Amino acid sequence: MAVNITSIKTSSNGVWEGDNPLDYAFPLLIVQTTLILIVSRFLAFLFKPLRQPKVIAEIVGGILLGPSAFGRNQEYMHRIFPKWSTPILESVASIGLLFFLFLVGLELDLNSIRRSGKRAFVIAAAGISLPFILGIGIAYVFRKAIDGADKVGYFQYLVFMGVALSITAFPVLARILAELKLLTTRVGETAMAAAAFNDVAAWILLALAIALAGNGSDGPHKSPLISIWVLLSGAAFVAFMMVAIKPAMNWVARRCSPEHDTVDEAYICLTLAGVLVAGFMTDLIGIHAIFGAFVFGLTIPKGGDFAEKLIERIEDFVTGLLLPLYFASSGLKTDVAKIKGSKAWGLLVLVISTACAGKIIGTFIVAMMCMIPARESITLGVLMNTKGLVELIVLNIGKEKKVLNDEAFAILVLMALFTTFITTPTVMAIYKPARGFSARAHRRLQSSSDNIKDELRVLACVHGPGNITSLINLIESTRSTNKASQLKLYIMHLVELTERSSSIIMVQRLRKNGFPFINRLRGGRFHDRVAVTFQAYGQLGRVNVRPTTAISPLPTMHEDICHVADDKSVTMIILPFHKQWRRINDHEEVENVGHGWRGVNQRVLKEAPCSVAVLVDRGYGGGAQMTPGPISSVVQKVCIIFFGGSDDREALELGGRMAEHPAVNVTVIRFVKKNQMDGSDLMLRPSPNKCRENSYSFTTAITNPQTEKEQDEGAVAEFKTRWEGMVELIEKTESNIVEQVLIIGKSGDYDLIVVGKGRCPSTMVASLAERHAEHPELGPIGDVLASSGQGIVSSVLVIQQHDMAHSEELPVSKITRGEVNNKKDAEPSSLV
């Protein structure tokens, strides 16, 4: 039934007055938006293991909601997505697109493109030229094979087809490279530079295509002079923006610099209004409004406080809410049913193969001519074949201008989906930089202490400013006052790579100096605060501080940490625990940064190429920061709990380093069994079927209990000899270990308690093997001290010594030696 759109009302009077909200514009828009967001988010969740960009989920969601799937039910289509609602949905989506293109222009630094070099320019030119030329042939085939395609002017048609095949989606490519950790490799840097060139060329070609398109197949063909006037007017608009508006925006940015206390809201509002005005001007000229928003984004100074403020104000709303509507509307207009018969499906295969061949072959040949290895060259070609964002914009404009009919539009949308979908798995299959760890020496404290002149290298990770004070206190307590012993500290600020495009901007700024971004902390005030604080500490104390940033998805964050630890020959990694305790008015409050960060710690503990320490912070230092220097104004009391085993020996070694500091009082509490038979009645047997989430894991390596005991005795004897008179050594013979450890933690006598993880445990620790674990990655003793609700007031440092022989761990079950003798088929691990 035909609907007079002028009769459509904005809102209803409610169901009590007999109105159906779905017959009114605004309630229907709410329902459409909610449905699109739910479906696209659900699909994004499903596609996440495949590392697909979010735009794929949004387009597929639109296709499912549209006439290709759910829309086959006419009642649903007429009720949820009636034709009269299409202009309203697309108008709201276009507002999001307008501001998103403004953000893209804000991201794109023309100066960095000019500095990218000839190689990236040549690769980009080849990646555009060959697909564009092949697009001319595809346009000819389409005009012959698709009904109605020949009604559009040949020149307009081939330009649109050439642009559609030659585009590389810059934001989508950046997301894929960041996910695959290729941004800082030569391939990633070349691909990003070439994509930036490609992006600029795409917008110029798109402006040309729009200027030539006119009304497509509708109405009389316009005079070529009109297209010339449109192009000249567009060039004049760009010149005006760069000559007049850019200096004005530079002045605004200076007014909003950090030297001023606040950013005037009037400047923000005027800038956002400027986006709309620029869009209106290009629409008035005859070029699409998004071109004006993109050019206006180029006029904003990059990297300043003003640009960051703009991104903070509009990014989440635009990319999280409005932009999915645009991509979903593309899917809603895609009717796969229009692709009928073998001829139409043959055209789809032809377009996909032509687009892939043009991009990959063109890029590969030129990259080889630029002396890039073959594997990297083919990877570059696959990466440059990424479609998605700009591709859909081109196709939507082509459909809007009636250059592309429903069948051609559906074929090209599916082509964009397919080429983007295969990018990530193809790159992972053909190119993955080696991340293996070298077998270098000095991977643990015990081995590095043999030569005190060696520089101790520590990699300390932080989530944010909340970790700074406790970490500085810990580092300061380990700083030797011996002038021959130097401490080099790498501070790695861990930042989760999210779906926000600003995280991609941050990655691009920080990627210029190695993996993952040594000494490049211009990502914002938050990151500056972390870097500046530690650099100030390094200047006050005799510590060489190198700030770093790792921006990664949480599932692969451990790769960054382990890579830097290996590359910088680090002896120990210090990780913040995923929980922090604070006492406020005698009440304990727990801040949990999330289970994802706990997973990061677990993977680092498993794969680290050096010793690892996890800091469970309960206000280490009481909020007071130790003053670097010969005499500190704050005295720290540290307790080393020693049961035996390689991890405990590493903790003892760290205690010795702490004992050198004049402001640190170290106490070693050694637990010994009343029965010196060494627990010969108890053994552990691996139980792989046990749940790792609530069971402790121990090494599967076969160890000799007598040898372990001799090493423990030797370590304690050496410790006594070296630090006699400087360290208090207490021996306890106690059977109830948990209760005794809790008493130490509750006493408040110590600011920090250092324990080993206990992967190769003594008999006393092994007796806790089947205890229910709250934090199994900390080992039995560390878990006791880190558990909630026990009244523990001391911070805890849990240490795991690097030992490749103990890298494999499994949950265990306790058995007695008598049971072993009765069951000859038992295969216990000689842990105790």
Side-chain angles (χ1 to χ4, degrees), residues 152-178:
V152 184
Y154 183 70
F155 193 60
Q156 295 98 308
Y157 203 86
L158 72 86
V159 170
F160 257 100
M161 197 63 70
V163 172
L165 265 64
S166 60
I167 279 175
T168 297
F170 180 80
V172 179
L173 176 63
R175 165 68 51 195
I176 290 172
L177 288 170

Side-chain angles (χ1 to χ4, degrees), residues 308 463-466 468 493-495 523-531:
E308 288 182 8
H463 295 149
I468 292 177
H493 185 191
L494 307 179
V495 181
R525 298 178 302 280
F526 181 70
H527 308 288
D528 288 340
R529 180 179 171 186
V530 173

Side-chain angles (χ1 to χ4, degrees), residues 235-250 295 298-299:
F237 171 79
V238 173
F240 172 77
M241 295 296 286
M242 294 301 168
V243 172
I245 303 301
K246 190 172 184 178
M249 296 313 298
N250 286 334
V295 174
L298 294 176
T299 66

Side-chain angles (χ1 to χ4, degrees), residues 491-755:
I491 295 295
M492 178 178 282
H493 185 191
L494 307 179
V495 181
E496 182 182 5
L497 180 67
T498 65
E499 293 178 347
R500 299 182 64 176
S501 61
S502 61
S503 62
I504 292 296
I505 301 171
M506 192 188 305
V507 170
Q508 289 174 245
R509 289 176 185 164
L510 301 178
R511 70 186 171 90
K512 299 179 184 295
N513 188 18
F515 186 104
F517 331 121
I518 301 292
N519 279 349
R520 294 280 180 173
L521 282 167
R522 298 195 300 271
R525 298 178 302 280
F526 181 70
H527 308 288
D528 288 340
R529 180 179 171 186
V530 173
V532 168
T533 303
F534 281 103
Q535 286 175 332
Y537 163 70
Q539 291 171 359
L540 289 171
R542 193 168 44 79
V543 178
N544 187 353
V545 177
R546 295 287 301 277
T548 70
T549 297
I551 306 176
S552 291
L554 292 186
T556 58
M557 179 75 75
H558 66 285
E559 294 180 10
D560 296 29
I561 299 170
C562 295
H563 179 93
V564 170
D566 182 65
D567 187 56
K568 304 301 178 184
S569 301
V570 165
T571 304
M572 184 170 68
I573 299 171
I574 301 175
L575 299 170
F577 194 52
H578 67 282
K579 294 180 182 178
Q580 273 188 302
W581 283 264
R582 294 288 182 264
R583 299 196 72 84
I584 301 175
N585 298 327
D586 295 327
H587 178 68
E588 187 178 73
E589 290 191 0
V590 182
E591 178 187 350
N592 193 332
V593 295
H595 187 77
W597 289 106
R598 181 187 181 189
V600 173
N601 287 1
Q602 290 171 333
R603 288 184 286 272
V604 172
L605 284 164
K606 183 178 180 181
E607 300 185 17
C610 60
S611 293
V612 181
V614 180
L615 176 60
V616 181
D617 183 22
R618 286 191 169 93
Y620 179 36
Q625 187 170 303
M626 293 180 69
T627 306
I631 301 176
S632 176
S633 60
V634 179
V635 175
Q636 299 290 350
K637 296 179 180 179
V638 178
C639 174
I640 314 295
I641 297 181
F642 187 86
F643 287 93
S646 57
D647 294 339
D648 282 35
R649 293 194 291 271
E650 191 80 345
L652 194 66
E653 181 65 36
L654 181 65
R657 290 182 177 274
M658 290 179 167
E660 290 187 24
H661 199 290
V664 179
N665 293 337
V666 176
T667 301
V668 177
I669 299 178
R670 185 187 183 191
F671 282 81
V672 294
K673 284 188 69 67
K674 293 177 182 178
N675 183 358
Q676 293 301 319
M677 295 300 291
D678 197 38
S680 57
D681 59 333
L682 175 66
M683 297 191 75
L684 301 178
R685 178 173 57 192
S687 299
N689 295 327
K690 272 193 173 182
C691 177
R692 290 176 180 263
E693 284 299 310
N694 51 31
S695 301
Y696 302 117
S697 295
F698 298 96
T699 179
T700 59
I702 304 299
T703 57
N704 187 320
Q706 186 61 36
T707 303
E708 287 291 315
K709 183 180 178 182
E710 290 173 1
Q711 290 180 350
D712 291 342
E713 294 294 341
V716 172
E718 183 185 355
F719 187 87
K720 285 181 180 178
T721 303
R722 288 179 63 185
W723 310 114
E724 189 174 3
M726 298 176 64
V727 174
E728 183 181 4
L729 185 61
I730 302 172
E731 284 197 356
K732 287 183 178 290
T733 56
E734 180 59 49
S735 58
N736 195 334
I737 300 170
V738 173
E739 183 179 333
Q740 196 68 22
V741 169
L742 286 174
I743 289 172
I744 297 172
K746 292 176 184 178
S747 67
D749 294 338
Y750 306 105
D751 299 293
L752 180 69
I753 300 174
V754 184
V755 299

Side-chain angles (χ1 to χ4, degrees), residues 29 44 195 317 373 452 467 469 482 495 524 640 686 707:
L29 178 64
F317 182 70
I452 201 167
N467 305 125
T469 301
N482 187 331
V495 181
I640 314 295
T707 303

